[in-house]
């Protein structure tokens, strides 16, 4: 509800936001109707239970046509004389209505007294132009409360005609009943406004209600007694009434101070948190000073943010109001009351400045009320004291905005730094003066296998596992004289994989004391591996070249010096051996050239093939026959196996696979070569009983120059190119080579190709993958 709901000595809640919602959906309305019905039932009860009763005091001397209207006027005046009391977004008004009701109850019969109290309330509501819902609530609440007081006073005190101890006790009990009924009714509305339970409202208000009840008894009872015996002294009762009014005002000011202190405390917390500070400041700032509107004008954006009492939680943005257009707010803080629009009563403007930087201005607007008496009397006024409080708050807002700008810039720069660190392919870490890790980048976590969570807070010298004792001292090589340094060392990851790292240190010292050290970590593992491969390749090729060259040179020298004395057969044997070794040397050179072409072509050898349809079974038999080893066992069914391939390259692949099986298995172990069809595929399996291949080497055996043996201690010859070339050739022919192996048991290499009819179906489908093609890919 947008206006207060009056109760004994106080006017009920005034939410500063929103108009009355839809009637049927308004939670306040759902409580007003039962209260109105309660008042109606209480009025009927008084008429039924107290018929024909006289007044408590003998008012024969006051009898006359003016008595009832005069008492109606008294209750009306008591309702109009009120002091405004805030409760957050709700407003109460402390009035003298209850004291007037006590006088009416003592001087009039029950029914007439209730009628006078209700009539005075209705007249006051009309004068104040109260909304219908609010007036209905007050009517129901006051009627029930007044009826309760009348019943208690008459049933307990009787009608002795003058003041007696019983009458005094009855008035005290009746006033208590009035206060209790009215408080319970009002608690229902306040609970909706403040979003709390009615019982909490009753507990928080009962003490003040008791004080008000005592004050009203102390005013109402003597007034009735004077009216009965010494009417000429009645004007002097204005003094106690004024005293109570001022007491109400002091209570209201104290409540305002408490409410404002609570809001200002929340306001200080909002400024400290720096989270959406301007919007939160506006909402709490308007609430603290009970203004109709609070506005922040931001000069740089030419934008105004404002919040209105009608919707106290909604901050709206828009153009700068004409009321606050420059130069308003450009000077010192000011409280303006003249030269304002007709609907504005006061304007408080404070510049929004901090550290020599101007952000804009902040203003509070108090509108001029054009409604009824209560609206005009209860409106808020700003004072110079408010100005003294507002100026520091606005300065704090400006400081918070300035700090937020600095924080935003810092966050932006920090985010850029984090982005550089996170996206860098090099590992980056930072340690403090004690060598404790403060930062550990994502790339470094991937490189070392140590997560940032595990690394942060640990000592660098304890995080890295450096197997070489001589390299452990290289982790922190910086000194005050040599703050920039680099070191290369090998670490062992938690999974056991070795990594060769270069640590580039850039340290900051305070005198001789290390402050921080930023380290850029580069992975040299690949370079080290490449260097080793290069060395291994040189050693391997040197060995492979020397092997055929040695007999060639030897027999050439023999033929040159002793050839004439050698028999023709020996000369032919020597020349045959030279030719065989030269052929071996030629094959070695061809392998090197082919490996080079593979690298240049990105692994695609299609253009170097001469594809056709050939009998793969015949090719397998040819290879086994050419090698002529008794250890070979052939398992190939009779009949041709037409396969789409390059005949020469297929023979090269098969020769390499079978030759490797013979080379890497014992002299007494046989090698099985079989051929099997599988749908549109054909598989040639070469199985040996050699030493086997370690699991971590299975994929590497197809890499260029890779040897499972150490080149410096190897017992078999080879360049490490055979399997690399064979697999690329197989893939270029539409097939593949796969391997399975078990240490100390043996290895099985499987050479897979497409059958000729499957290849023809694939070609006829305009290049679209068919089942056979997908099967070959599955083999890969």
């Amino acid at each position: 509800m947008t206006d207060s709901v009056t109760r004994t000595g106080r006017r009920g809640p005034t939410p500063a936001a929103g108009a009355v919602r839809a009637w049927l959906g308004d939670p306040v309305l759902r409580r007003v109707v039962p209260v109105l019905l309660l008042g109606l039932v209480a009025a009927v009860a008084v008429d039924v239970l107290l018929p024909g009763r006289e007044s408590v005091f003998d008012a024969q001397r006051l009898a006359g046509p003016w008595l009832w209207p005069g008492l109606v006027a008294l209750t009306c005046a008591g309702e109009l004389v009120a002091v405004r009391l805030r409760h957050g977004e709700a407003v109460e008004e402390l009035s003298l209505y209850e004291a007037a009701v006590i006088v009416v109850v003592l001087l009039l019969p029950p029914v007439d007294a209730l009628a006078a109290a209700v009539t005075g309330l209705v007249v006051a509501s009309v004068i104040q132009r109260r909304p219908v819902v609010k007036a209905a609530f007050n009517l129901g609440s006051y009627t029930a409360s007044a009826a309760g007081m009348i019943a208690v006073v008459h049933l307990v005190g009787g009608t002795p005609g003058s003041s007696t101890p019983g009458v005094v006790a009855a008035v005290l009990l009746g006033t208590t009943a009035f206060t209790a009924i009215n408080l319970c009714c009002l608690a229902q509305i306040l609970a909706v406004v403040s979003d709390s339970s009615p019982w909490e409202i009753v507990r928080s208000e009962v003490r003040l209600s008791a004080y008000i009840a005592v004050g009203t008894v102390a005013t109402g009872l003597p007034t009735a007694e004077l009216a009965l015996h010494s009417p000429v002294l009645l004007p002097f009762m204005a003094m106690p009434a004024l005293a109570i009014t001022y007491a109400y005002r002091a209570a209201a000011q104290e409540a305002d101070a408490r409410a404002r202190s609570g809001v200002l405390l929340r306001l200080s917390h909002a400024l400290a948190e720096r989270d959406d500070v301007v919007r939160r400041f506006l909402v709490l700032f308007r609430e603290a000073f009970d203004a109709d509107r609070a506005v922040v004008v931001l000069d740089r954006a030419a934008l105004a943010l404002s919040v209105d009492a009608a919707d106290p939680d909604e901050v709206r943005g828009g153009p700068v109001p004409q009321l606050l257009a420059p130069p308003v707010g450009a000077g010192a803080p000011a409280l303006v009351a003249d030269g304002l629009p007709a609907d504005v009563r006061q304007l408080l403007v404070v510049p929004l400045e901090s550290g020599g930087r101007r952000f804009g201005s902040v203003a509070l607007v108090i509108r001029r009320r054009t409604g009824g008496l209560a609206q005009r009397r209860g409106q808020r006024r700003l004072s110079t004291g408010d100005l003294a409080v507002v100026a520091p708050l606005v300065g704090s807002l400006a400081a918070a905005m300035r700090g937020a700008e600095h924080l935003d810039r810092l966050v932006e720069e920090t985010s850029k730094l984090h982005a550089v660190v996170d996206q860098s392919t090099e590992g980056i870490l930072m340690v403090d003066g004690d060598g404790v890790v403060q930062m550990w980048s994502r790339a470094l976590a991937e490189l070392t296998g140590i997560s940032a969570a595990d690394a942060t807070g640990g000592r660098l010298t304890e995080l890295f596992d450096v197997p070489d004792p001589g390299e452990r001292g290289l982790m922190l090589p910086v000194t005050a004289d040599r703050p920039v340094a680099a070191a290369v060392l090998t670490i062992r990851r938690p999974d056991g994989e070795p990594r060769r790292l270069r640590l580039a240190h850039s340290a900051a010292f305070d005198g001789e004391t290390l402050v921080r050290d930023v380290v850029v970590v580069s992975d040299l593992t690949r370079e080290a591996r490449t260097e080793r491969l290069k060395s291994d390749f040189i050693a391997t090729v040197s060995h492979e070249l020397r092997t055929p060259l040695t007999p060639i040179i030897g027999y050439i020298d023999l033929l040159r010096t002793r050839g004439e004395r050698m028999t023709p057969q020996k000369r032919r044997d020597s020349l045959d051996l030279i030719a065989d070794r030269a052929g071996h040397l030629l094959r070695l050179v061809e392998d090197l050239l082919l490996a080079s072409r593979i690298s240049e072509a990105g692994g695609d050898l299609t253009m170097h093939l001469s594809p056709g349809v050939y009998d793969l079974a015949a090719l397998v038999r040819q290879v086994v026959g050419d090698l002529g080893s008794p250890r070979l066992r052939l398992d190939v069914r009779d009949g041709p196996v037409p396969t789409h391939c390059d005949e020469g390259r297929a023979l090269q692949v098969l020769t390499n696979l079978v030759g490797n099986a013979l080379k890497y298995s014992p002299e007494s172990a046989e090698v099985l070569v079989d051929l099997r069809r599988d749908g549109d595929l054909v598989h040639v399996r070469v199985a040996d009983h050699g030493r086997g291949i370690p699991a971590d080497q299975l994929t590497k055996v197809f890499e260029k120059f890779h040897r499972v043996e150490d080149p410096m201690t190897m017992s078999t010859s080879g360049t490490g190119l055979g399997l690399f070339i064979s697999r690329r050739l197989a893939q270029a022919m539409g097939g593949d080579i796969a391997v399975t192996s078990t240490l100390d048991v043996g290895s099985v290499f499987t050479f897979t190709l497409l059958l000729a009819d499957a290849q023809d179906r694939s070609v006829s489908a305009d290049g679209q993958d068919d089942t056979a093609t997908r099967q070959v890919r599955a083999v890969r």
Side-chain angles (χ1 to χ4, degrees), residues 41 86 112 154 324 330 371 373 384 390 395 506 554 563 605 738 755 757 767:
V41 171
R86 291 185 65 229
D112 292 342
H154 278 270
L324 297 173
L373 175 63
T384 54
V390 168
S506 181
L605 287 175
L755 291 169
D757 54 350

Side-chain angles (χ1 to χ4, degrees), residues 35 51 66 97 133 153 187 208 252 265 309 372 376 573 710:
V35 170
W66 58 270
Y97 179 79
V133 175
V153 169
L208 182 59
L265 180 61
R376 295 193 298 271
D573 291 343
D710 188 330

Side-chain angles (χ1 to χ4, degrees), residues 107-236:
L107 297 181
L108 292 178
V111 177
D112 292 342
L114 184 60
V118 172
T119 302
L121 175 65
V122 172
V123 173
S125 297
V126 173
I127 294 173
Q128 294 174 320
R129 298 183 187 179
R130 288 176 178 167
V132 175
V133 175
K134 180 185 105 172
F137 174 83
N138 287 347
L139 180 62
S141 176
Y142 281 158
T143 301
S145 302
M149 177 187 286
I150 291 170
V152 171
V153 169
H154 278 270
L155 294 177
V156 175
T159 56
S162 61
S163 295
T164 64
V167 169
V168 174
V171 171
L172 285 172
L173 291 175
T175 304
T176 302
F178 187 107
T179 301
I181 294 171
N182 194 44
L183 178 59
C184 291
C185 293
L186 186 61
Q188 302 298 320
I189 304 300
L190 284 172
V192 175
V193 174
S194 60
D195 194 22
S196 57
S197 69
W199 174 240
E200 291 177 353
I201 299 295
V202 171
R203 285 196 305 172
S204 64
E205 297 288 323
V206 67
R207 184 176 180 181
L208 182 59
S209 297
Y211 290 155
I212 292 175
V214 173
T216 54
V217 171
T219 303
L221 189 56
T223 300
E225 188 67 30
L226 287 177
L228 184 63
H229 297 291
S230 302
V232 70
L233 298 177
L234 282 176
F236 291 98

Side-chain angles (χ1 to χ4, degrees), residues 158-398:
T159 56
S162 61
S163 295
T164 64
V167 169
V168 174
V171 171
L172 285 172
L173 291 175
T175 304
T176 302
F178 187 107
T179 301
I181 294 171
N182 194 44
L183 178 59
C184 291
C185 293
L186 186 61
Q188 302 298 320
I189 304 300
L190 284 172
V192 175
V193 174
S194 60
D195 194 22
S196 57
S197 69
W199 174 240
E200 291 177 353
I201 299 295
V202 171
R203 285 196 305 172
S204 64
E205 297 288 323
V206 67
R207 184 176 180 181
L208 182 59
S209 297
Y211 290 155
I212 292 175
V214 173
T216 54
V217 171
T219 303
L221 189 56
T223 300
E225 188 67 30
L226 287 177
L228 184 63
H229 297 291
S230 302
V232 70
L233 298 177
L234 282 176
F236 291 98
M237 287 305 300
M239 296 306 296
L242 289 176
I244 291 178
T245 300
Y246 279 109
Y248 288 169
R249 184 165 298 168
Q253 291 174 348
E254 181 182 353
D256 278 349
R258 285 198 306 269
R260 179 177 295 180
S261 297
V263 177
L264 292 179
L265 180 61
R266 286 188 287 149
L267 190 58
S268 64
H269 290 165
L271 292 173
E273 292 177 3
R274 302 181 185 275
D275 182 17
D276 199 13
V277 62
V278 176
R279 293 179 179 273
R280 296 181 64 187
F281 176 88
L282 265 179
V283 172
L284 296 173
F285 185 58
R286 188 214 62 78
E287 180 183 347
F289 294 92
D290 192 25
D292 294 303
R293 191 182 188 192
V295 184
V296 170
V297 177
L298 302 175
D299 290 347
R300 178 176 295 182
L303 174 71
L305 300 175
S306 63
V307 60
D308 287 316
D311 196 357
D313 296 322
E314 181 69 23
V315 177
R316 295 182 174 87
V320 178
Q322 187 61 35
L323 179 66
L324 297 173
V328 177
L335 179 60
V336 183
D338 300 322
L340 300 174
D343 63 335
V344 177
R345 181 175 185 178
Q346 288 179 300
L347 175 66
L348 189 153
V349 186
V350 178
L352 187 59
E353 299 174 340
S354 176
R357 167 80 185 281
R358 176 180 171 82
F359 295 93
S361 58
V362 178
L364 290 173
V365 178
I366 302 296
R367 293 191 177 97
R368 194 180 302 279
R369 308 291 172 85
T370 58
L373 175 63
Q375 290 179 333
R376 295 193 298 271
R377 185 190 64 237
Q379 64 183 329
R380 169 75 168 141
R381 291 182 64 90
L382 296 172
S383 66
T384 54
D386 293 326
L387 186 62
V389 176
V390 168
L393 288 175
V394 174
S396 299
L397 173 62

Side-chain angles (χ1 to χ4, degrees), residues 272-625:
E273 292 177 3
R274 302 181 185 275
D275 182 17
D276 199 13
V277 62
V278 176
R279 293 179 179 273
R280 296 181 64 187
F281 176 88
L282 265 179
V283 172
L284 296 173
F285 185 58
R286 188 214 62 78
E287 180 183 347
F289 294 92
D290 192 25
D292 294 303
R293 191 182 188 192
V295 184
V296 170
V297 177
L298 302 175
D299 290 347
R300 178 176 295 182
L303 174 71
L305 300 175
S306 63
V307 60
D308 287 316
D311 196 357
D313 296 322
E314 181 69 23
V315 177
R316 295 182 174 87
V320 178
Q322 187 61 35
L323 179 66
L324 297 173
V328 177
L335 179 60
V336 183
D338 300 322
L340 300 174
D343 63 335
V344 177
R345 181 175 185 178
Q346 288 179 300
L347 175 66
L348 189 153
V349 186
V350 178
L352 187 59
E353 299 174 340
S354 176
R357 167 80 185 281
R358 176 180 171 82
F359 295 93
S361 58
V362 178
L364 290 173
V365 178
I366 302 296
R367 293 191 177 97
R368 194 180 302 279
R369 308 291 172 85
T370 58
L373 175 63
Q375 290 179 333
R376 295 193 298 271
R377 185 190 64 237
Q379 64 183 329
R380 169 75 168 141
R381 291 182 64 90
L382 296 172
S383 66
T384 54
D386 293 326
L387 186 62
V389 176
V390 168
L393 288 175
V394 174
S396 299
L397 173 62
M401 293 173 64
R402 187 163 172 261
E405 285 188 348
H406 289 310
L407 181 60
D408 289 342
R409 285 196 294 269
L410 179 61
V411 169
E412 182 180 359
E413 295 302 321
T414 303
S415 64
K416 291 179 182 178
L417 178 60
H418 279 299
V420 170
V421 171
D422 288 341
Q423 297 175 14
S424 173
T425 56
E426 302 290 313
I428 301 175
L429 67 93
M430 183 178 72
V431 297
D432 60 14
D434 296 325
V436 176
V437 174
Q438 303 297 315
M439 182 185 69
W440 192 271
S441 72
R442 181 171 53 189
L444 185 58
E446 295 173 355
L447 175 60
T448 62
I450 304 172
S451 67
D454 293 336
T456 304
R459 291 185 176 276
L460 179 63
T461 53
E462 298 173 356
L463 289 173
F464 285 158
D465 179 11
V466 181
D468 187 353
E471 294 182 345
R472 292 173 188 169
L474 301 177
M475 281 188 281
L476 284 174
V478 293
T479 62
D481 298 330
R482 190 167 171 259
V484 178
V488 177
L489 52 85
T490 300
I491 69 165
R492 184 164 43 223
R493 288 165 45 103
D495 58 7
E497 180 185 356
R499 289 278 184 170
R500 189 68 173 170
L501 305 179
R502 180 180 185 272
L503 279 61
H505 297 259
S506 181
F509 284 84
D510 182 9
E512 296 294 325
T513 304
L514 176 64
V515 177
R516 75 182 62 86
D517 184 12
V518 178
V519 186
V520 178
V521 182
S522 304
D523 186 8
L524 302 182
T525 306
R526 179 171 295 179
E527 288 82 350
R529 187 175 297 154
T530 301
E531 189 64 29
R532 172 165 180 172
L533 286 175
K534 185 190 300 182
S535 300
D536 292 348
F537 171 72
I538 292 174
T540 299
V541 171
S542 299
H543 175 77
E544 292 298 315
L545 290 174
R546 187 182 300 112
T547 300
L549 282 175
T550 299
I552 289 175
I553 294 172
Y555 276 96
I556 289 176
D557 185 62
L558 179 64
L559 289 172
R560 186 173 59 242
T561 58
R562 300 174 58 188
E564 296 177 354
R565 288 176 289 174
M566 295 176 63
T567 65
Q569 183 61 41
K570 282 194 175 185
R571 282 199 299 270
R572 281 195 299 272
D573 291 343
S574 298
L575 291 173
D576 289 342
L577 189 144
I578 292 173
D580 180 71
R581 296 298 88 191
H584 178 79
L585 188 60
L586 177 62
R587 288 192 296 274
L588 175 61
V589 173
E590 287 179 347
D591 284 349
L592 292 172
L593 292 175
L594 183 57
S596 177
R597 286 198 293 269
I598 292 174
S599 299
E600 292 175 358
D604 185 7
L605 287 175
T606 306
M607 62 182 297
H608 298 285
L609 299 180
S610 300
V613 177
Y614 298 95
D615 183 2
L616 186 60
L619 297 179
V620 171
R621 293 189 186 97
Q622 179 181 339
V623 169
V624 171

